[in-house]
Amino acid sequence: DKTDSGILLTGSAKIQKTEGEVIAVGPGKTHPESGKIVPMPVDEGEGVVYGEYDGIEIEYNGDRHTLIRDDNVLVKFTGDTLTKDSVEATGDNVLVQVETKDEETSGGLVIAKSKNDNSRPSTGTVVSVGPGKMASDGTLMPMTVAVGDRVKFTDFAGNEVQIGEDEFSVVKMADVLAKF
């Protein structure tokens, strides 16, 4: 049985903890104010990346799967591998390639970024923009950033995603503080 709203992923999602292939989708959910159906952001066969703690494991047709909500999908991609060319942001998400450059002090001392540093990068370049969030009248609210914009977003906002050797953050449009 399919749920009223949800996405069913293959058992391989357990191996790659936050990535999987969509094998079934529900019809979408009902907007709480308008009653209109919010369409699912993914289709069967697409790959998705979702939050580390999102989803629930279930057994379906004798196999282990992960059931996630449409809101849990951070990005989707086509093909077998998540690449910068195949990735697409969903909903009101923005995919930002974060700046991880070394910093230079006013005295000329170069301080390398450390993976052990408790801070997370919060500036970068937009590489994918979702279609937007659905308003109560059923229209998509426009996104105010575009691919190529440099942005500053709220510290510790969003989820970190690694694509190849590069680091990205998936943040909600509301968490973008400035573009420059």
Side-chain angles (χ1 to χ4, degrees):
D1 290 342
K2 289 186 182 178
T3 62
D4 289 338
S5 175
I7 301 167
L8 188 61
L9 302 175
T10 65
S12 66
K14 185 174 180 184
I15 297 166
Q16 295 179 348
K17 197 166 191 166
T18 61
E19 186 177 311
E21 178 184 354
V22 177
I23 62 165
V25 296
K29 64 183 175 189
T30 306
H31 191 282
E33 294 175 19
S34 69
K36 295 186 180 200
I37 297 293
V38 178
M40 297 301 284
V42 296
D43 294 312
E44 292 178 17
E46 290 182 314
V48 294
V49 176
Y50 53 96
E52 183 176 357
Y53 302 105
D54 295 332
I56 188 166
E57 288 189 12
I58 62 170
E59 189 169 320
Y60 180 73
N61 287 342
D63 293 321
R64 300 289 301 161
H65 300 277
T66 303
L67 182 66
I68 61 172
R69 295 169 32 114
D70 58 341
D71 293 338
N72 299 141
V73 176
L74 302 173
V75 293
K76 64 181 180 177
F77 62 95
T78 55
D80 294 334
T81 309
L82 175 64
T83 66
K84 194 171 168 182
D85 293 330
S86 69
V87 71
E88 187 178 327
T90 61
D92 62 337
N93 289 331
V94 179
L95 180 65
V96 179
Q97 185 167 6
V98 295
E99 295 175 354
T100 57
K101 297 184 280 191
D102 297 338
E103 294 180 36
E104 186 172 337
T105 66
S106 59
L109 180 64
V110 176
I111 302 172
K113 289 277 185 186
S114 169
K115 287 278 190 190
N116 297 329
D117 189 358
N118 287 334
S119 66
R120 282 177 42 191
S122 60
T123 58
T125 303
V126 175
V127 297
S128 183
V129 179
K133 187 174 188 174
M134 184 178 280
S136 61
D137 66 358
T139 61
L140 289 177
M141 298 176 7
M143 300 290 275
T144 57
V145 296
V147 172
D149 286 347
R150 290 194 63 230
V151 294
K152 164 72 175 151
F153 52 91
T154 306
D155 292 341
F156 300 102
N159 290 277
E160 295 173 323
V161 175
Q162 184 152 352
I163 302 175
E165 297 295 317
D166 298 322
E167 293 181 34
F168 297 82
S169 280
V170 180
V171 295
K172 294 286 185 193
M173 184 67 231
D175 289 326
V176 176
L177 301 172
K179 68 179 181 178
F180 48 97

